Amino acid sequence: MPTLSLRVDLDPDGRIGPGKIALLESIAELGSISAAGRAMDMSYRRAWELVDEMNGIFGKPVVRSQSGGTRGGGAVLTSLGRALIVRYRAIERDAAAAAAQHLLALQEEIARADDETPGV
Amino acid sequence: MPTLSLRVDLDPDGRIGPGKIALLESIAELGSISAAGRAMDMSYRRAWELVDEMNGIFGKPVVRSQSGGTRGGGAVLTSLGRALIVRYRAIERDAAAAAAQHLLALQEEIARADDETPGV
């Protein structure tokens, strides 16, 4: 019985796949690039490189440092960073929904294939 | 400006991605596993292994040998093989259509990000 694994890559020249999106979500949740990196078992340097790569792809920051306040030194997503997560997850969701009917139809076609007489 | 690269994998335990689907399409077009393999720069052995893997995944053949006739010795897709191509391409097409509106919205959000005042 087939299930579906969808991979959505935005921008082929600077790939933004599930890993970078999960990092952005972790930064949004934890308020810090280093904490998000730790939560994903990656070094601060690696997490920062991925954020910097996304900033470069769009020519605009997806994360900015939060200056001052009680959580000074943290990081927050820009509106672009938030939009990127929302749109990426929406694409995944809608693509999976669009695929569902075809997967059901394929399952029926697999079952029907029993009836086919070899060589006919 | 983001574009989209979608990857559809049916059955995570026995991955059926764009390569195997292209092989099936080539077999349907050329009527032979070896000719299809050559057209895709792979050995007959490799092409046959991929076909055999798909047969195993579904427990039913996606390709069968064409016995007799003027093209004896060739290979044709079973109804399951044909259904697999049709459904895979339909999933790609519908998923891309579902993604299109989100990519447009994301482009607008990238443009709007110019207006964001840093730190606010």
Side-chain angles (χ1 to χ4, degrees):
Chain A
M1 188 166 303
T3 56
L4 182 75
S5 155
L6 270 176
R7 188 178 163 82
V8 180
D9 295 308
L10 296 167
D11 196 328
D13 293 330
R15 185 161 286 194
I16 295 177
K20 291 202 189 83
I21 295 297
L23 177 62
L24 287 182
E25 288 172 331
S26 187
I27 292 170
E29 187 190 350
L30 301 173
S32 145
I33 293 177
S34 56
R38 271 196 305 276
M40 295 182 70
D41 266 334
M42 64 175 74
S43 66
Y44 174 76
R45 181 188 170 83
R46 177 66 183 146
W48 190 87
E49 281 172 354
L50 290 174
V51 167
D52 193 52
E53 195 183 318
M54 285 188 275
N55 291 345
I57 287 169
F58 294 105
K60 296 171 186 185
V62 294
V63 172
R64 61 181 166 77
S65 58
Q66 196 176 36
S67 55
T70 54
R71 297 180 70 191
V76 292
L77 300 191
T78 62
S79 62
L80 176 58
R82 290 190 300 272
L84 195 55
I85 292 174
V86 168
R87 294 302 167 184
Y88 188 92
R89 294 305 183 196
I91 289 171
E92 277 194 324
R93 186 191 62 228
D94 288 2
Q101 57 167 321
H102 296 299
L103 288 174
L104 270 176
L106 184 57
Q107 280 173 27
E108 286 169 19
E109 283 154 345
I110 292 169
R112 259 209 308 278
D114 273 336
D115 305 332
E116 192 178 21
T117 307
V120 173
Chain B
M1 188 166 303
T3 56
L4 183 75
S5 155
L6 270 177
R7 187 178 163 82
V8 179
D9 295 308
L10 296 169
D11 196 327
D13 293 328
R15 185 160 285 194
I16 294 178
K20 290 201 188 85
I21 296 297
L23 177 63
L24 287 182
E25 288 172 333
S26 188
I27 291 169
E29 188 191 350
L30 301 173
S32 145
I33 293 177
S34 57
R38 272 197 304 276
M40 296 182 70
D41 265 335
M42 64 174 75
S43 66
Y44 174 76
R45 181 188 170 83
R46 177 65 183 147
W48 191 88
E49 281 173 352
L50 291 174
V51 167
D52 194 52
E53 195 183 318
M54 284 188 275
N55 292 346
I57 287 170
F58 294 105
K60 298 171 185 184
V62 293
V63 172
R64 60 181 167 77
S65 59
Q66 197 176 35
S67 56
T70 55
R71 298 180 70 191
V76 293
L77 300 191
T78 62
S79 61
L80 175 58
R82 291 191 299 273
L84 196 55
I85 293 175
V86 169
R87 294 301 167 183
Y88 188 92
R89 295 305 184 197
I91 289 170
E92 277 195 324
R93 186 190 61 229
D94 288 1
Q101 57 165 324
H102 296 300
L103 289 174
L104 270 176
L106 184 56
Q107 281 173 26
E108 286 169 19
E109 283 154 344
I110 292 168
R112 259 209 308 279
D114 274 338
D115 305 332
E116 191 178 21
T117 307
V120 172

